[in-house]
């Protein structure tokens, strides 16, 4: 990881500072195949970090103690050695106040992870509300794991116990996402070309199957208000769904190859999508327009070249919680940090064979997965302007159409609509 290629336009870009590493234990006879870390995740409250170590294993560690470990012992860290310094929890009492690590054997290769937390006043959509096997309370924190055999297993984070086994997909569960509103609505994206909606407050009852993708579905993400779902997949597919009516809103067209990752901005006004066509697009999801393009190959490839093996496939994208920065991870052995209003990255970092990335809950750290291991970088720090904070506050409650009808100067409308 010492050296990496830079494009001409990126020669003077700052390198991001390494925060730490979690290295999966390996033996000389370990097969590289099956050790891929396809997914990393932070709990919504920042209490836990989870990643797939490969070979069926998911590791759950308390994030604050993990950070302290980096500070005490330097940046390098072996995943199994953490257990000697973190307390293990054997009883069911005080799990939240005394977080512990867990090693979970999921029984098959793990492709996706998602944390979910409950809000008691958020009622289930199910018809049968008389009796439930599980009564998820406010202190509940769940981890959903999507597996190679099409199953989804739901775990109690505080105890490491298996709670539910959801079986309906017929192929790999490539991605999982919980609704941010605390309803414990879970959406799964699969290679069987469908998305499925599950209600964990109804003991994991499957509520709906969303059909529309003609090929593999690679990823899905909720808008911050839980009203819209984005799904991306093979054959250039980017779909937006109304999650109240379970109907398709629109298809976004512009990519030239498979689209493999997506995420909304914290105010819901923007949507970032990553594709094998070497590009990350930033969309206005409310009107289906591309606002910004982040290229990973210079000069940009022609549509024919972008649609094939171009050595710059973008594997993952993540939106920072400040609403100003996006991280992307590509096959050219680089992690890039972008500002949403600038053409070139503001920071870069080296990473071979990177597969996934996500920002920590507070946005201060980016975690990226490789072959069973995780690497962490400090993210660009910038104090948001008052104008940007006001824009985010307005856009959280007002879609683009309403903003354009406001009796305000056109320049202000353009700013509120992120028209760079």
């Amino acid at each position: 990881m010492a050296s990496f290629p830079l494009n001409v336009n990126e020669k003077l870009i700052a390198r991001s500072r390494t925060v730490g590493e979690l290295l999966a234990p390996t033996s000389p006879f370990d097969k590289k195949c099956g050790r891929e870390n396809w997914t990393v995740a932070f709990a919504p409250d920042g209490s836990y970090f989870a990643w797939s170590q490969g070979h069926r294993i998911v590791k759950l560690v308390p994030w604050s103690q993990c950070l302290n470990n980096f500070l005490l012992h330097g940046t390098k860290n072996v995943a199994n050695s953490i257990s000697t310094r973190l307390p293990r929890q054997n009883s069911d009492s005080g799990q939240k106040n005394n977080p512990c690590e867990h090693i979970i054997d999921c029984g098959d290769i793990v492709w996706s992870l998602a944390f979910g937390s409950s809000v008691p006043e958020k009622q289930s959509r199910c018809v049968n509300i008389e009796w439930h096997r599980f009564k998820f309370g406010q202190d509940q924190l769940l981890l959903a794991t999507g597996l190679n055999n099409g199953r989804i297993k739901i775990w109690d984070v505080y105890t490491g116990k298996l709670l539910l086994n959801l079986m309906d997909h017929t192929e790999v569960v490539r991605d999982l996402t919980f609704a941010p509103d605390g309803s414990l609505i879970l959406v799964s994206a699969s290679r069987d070309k469908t998305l499925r909606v599950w209600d964990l407050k109804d003991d994991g009852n499957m509520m709906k199957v969303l059909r529309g993708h003609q090929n593999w579905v690679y990823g899905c993400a909720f808008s911050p208000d839980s009203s819209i779902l984005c799904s991306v997949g093979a054959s250039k597919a980017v779909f937006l769904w109304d999650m109240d009516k379970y109907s398709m809103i629109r298809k976004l067209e512009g990519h030239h190859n498979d689209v493999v990752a997506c995420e909304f901005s914290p105010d819901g006004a923007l949507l970032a999508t990553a594709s094998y066509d070497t590009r990350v697009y930033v969309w206005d999801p409310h009107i289906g327009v591309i606002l910004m393009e982040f290229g990973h190959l210079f000069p940009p490839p022609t549509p024919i070249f972008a649609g094939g093996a171009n050595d710059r496939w973008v594997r993952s994208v993540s939106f920072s919680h400040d609403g100003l920065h996006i991280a992307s991870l590509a096959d050219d052995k680089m992690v890039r940090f972008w500002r949403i209003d600038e053409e070139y990255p503001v920071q870069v970092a080296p990473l071979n064979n990177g597969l996934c990335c996500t920002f920590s809950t507070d946005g201060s750290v980016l975690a990226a997965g490789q072959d069973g291991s995780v690497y962490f970088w400090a993210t660009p720090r910038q104090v948001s302007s008052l104008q940007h904070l006001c824009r985010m506050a307005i856009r959280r409650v007002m879609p683009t159409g309403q903003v354009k009808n406001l009796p305000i100067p056109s320049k202000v409308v353009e700013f509120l609509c992120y028209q760079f």
Side-chain angles (χ1 to χ4, degrees):
M1 289 180 60
S3 62
F4 58 101
L6 282 172
N7 290 304
V8 174
N9 294 309
E10 297 173 343
K11 292 287 185 185
L12 302 178
I13 297 170
R15 295 195 184 191
S16 183
R17 178 175 59 86
T18 301
V19 174
E21 304 170 357
L22 294 175
L23 306 178
T26 58
S27 67
F29 304 105
D30 254 358
K31 292 181 180 178
K32 186 175 181 182
C33 178
R35 208 174 71 222
E36 294 89 356
N37 177 1
W38 291 107
T39 178
V40 293
F42 287 93
D45 61 358
S47 60
Y48 273 88
F49 175 73
W51 81 101
S52 165
Q53 287 191 357
H55 302 310
R56 319 187 318 184
I57 303 301
V58 168
K59 192 72 175 279
L60 265 168
V61 294
W63 176 237
S64 61
Q65 296 180 36
C66 195
L67 276 178
N68 291 337
N69 216 27
F70 292 150
L71 294 173
L72 289 172
H73 301 277
T75 61
K76 289 193 179 294
N77 201 337
V78 178
N80 271 9
S81 69
I82 302 178
S83 59
T84 62
R85 291 183 289 273
L86 299 182
R88 286 191 175 275
Q89 189 79 40
N90 294 318
S91 67
D92 289 348
S93 60
Q95 295 121 349
K96 190 172 183 181
N97 297 326
N98 187 19
C100 63
E101 70 164 49
H102 297 287
I103 298 173
I104 298 174
D105 187 341
C106 294
D108 205 345
I109 294 173
V110 181
W111 285 85
S112 48
L113 295 172
F115 282 98
S117 56
S118 175
V119 176
E121 58 269 20
K122 201 71 177 168
Q123 293 298 318
S124 170
R125 295 189 184 187
C126 65
V127 177
N128 175 25
I129 58 173
E130 298 300 322
W131 179 88
H132 289 118
R133 179 182 169 197
F134 296 104
K135 295 192 183 300
F136 296 119
Q138 195 167 12
D139 293 336
Q140 196 86 31
L141 183 60
L142 307 177
L143 180 72
T145 56
L147 307 182
N148 193 68
N149 58 11
R151 294 191 178 191
I152 302 167
K153 293 187 176 182
I154 310 297
W155 309 82
D156 185 315
V157 170
Y158 300 131
T159 64
K161 293 178 180 177
L162 178 64
L163 299 177
L164 286 167
N165 197 349
L166 309 180
M167 298 176 287
D168 208 70
H169 282 296
T170 57
E171 290 282 350
V172 171
V173 180
R174 192 62 186 83
D175 199 16
L176 294 165
T177 182
F178 276 98
D181 60 5
S183 62
L184 286 183
I185 298 296
L186 174 69
V187 175
S188 53
S190 171
R191 286 184 183 174
D192 65 12
K193 307 177 186 177
T194 68
L195 298 128
R196 295 175 191 263
V197 185
W198 314 81
D199 186 354
L200 297 196
K201 287 195 174 180
D202 189 20
D203 294 337
N205 178 47
M206 192 185 70
M207 303 163 59
K208 197 73 178 176
V209 180
L210 304 180
R211 303 183 190 275
H213 286 267
Q214 300 301 309
N215 288 289
W216 290 1
V217 190
Y218 279 102
C220 55
F222 270 102
S223 61
D225 65 359
S226 303
S227 66
I228 299 174
L229 181 83
C230 176
S231 63
V232 297
S235 303
K236 316 171 191 177
V238 182
F239 295 158
L240 295 177
W241 306 84
D242 183 325
M243 293 307 287
D244 290 324
K245 301 175 182 176
Y246 300 119
S247 60
M248 190 183 297
I249 300 171
R250 65 174 55 90
K251 181 178 181 180
L252 304 182
E253 298 185 355
H255 280 296
H256 300 291
N257 205 334
D258 294 356
V259 189
V260 295
C262 60
E263 191 162 11
F264 284 89
S265 62
D267 59 4
L270 304 174
L271 171 69
T273 57
S275 170
Y276 289 167
D277 65 9
T278 77
R279 296 173 174 93
V280 167
Y281 284 151
V282 179
W283 309 75
D284 183 326
H286 301 286
I287 56 177
V289 173
I290 298 172
L291 299 175
M292 197 74 181
E293 175 184 325
F294 298 132
H296 294 67
L297 183 60
F298 300 93
T302 62
I304 292 176
F305 188 54
N310 49 58
D311 300 324
R312 295 291 190 279
W313 284 2
V314 187
R315 296 281 179 177
S316 187
V317 67
S318 184
F319 233 114
S320 175
H321 296 261
D322 63 7
L324 285 173
H325 293 92
I326 290 174
S328 66
L329 189 154
D331 279 353
D332 62 355
K333 305 177 183 178
M334 299 241 323
V335 177
R336 292 173 173 85
F337 295 92
W338 313 78
R339 265 188 63 103
I340 59 172
D341 54 358
E342 293 186 17
E343 187 176 358
Y344 300 112
V346 293
Q347 285 186 18
V348 294
L351 181 67
N352 291 329
N353 304 320
L355 296 172
C356 57
C357 66
T358 189
F359 281 98
S360 60
T361 307
D362 63 2
S364 64
V365 173
L366 182 80
Q370 197 194 35
D371 290 334
S373 301
V374 191
Y375 299 89
F376 301 90
W377 291 276
T379 59
R381 292 196 173 190
Q382 184 168 353
V383 177
S384 298
S385 67
L386 182 58
Q387 291 97 323
H388 175 64
L389 294 174
C390 290
R391 173 169 60 185
M392 289 184 66
I394 292 170
R395 292 312 308 269
R396 279 192 174 96
V397 297
M398 197 172 285
T400 304
Q402 292 183 19
V403 170
K404 290 194 171 184
N405 290 327
L406 291 174
I408 54 178
S410 59
K411 286 292 183 184
V412 180
V413 171
E414 289 176 8
F415 179 78
L416 292 176
C417 291
Y418 290 92
Q419 294 177 1
F420 307 111

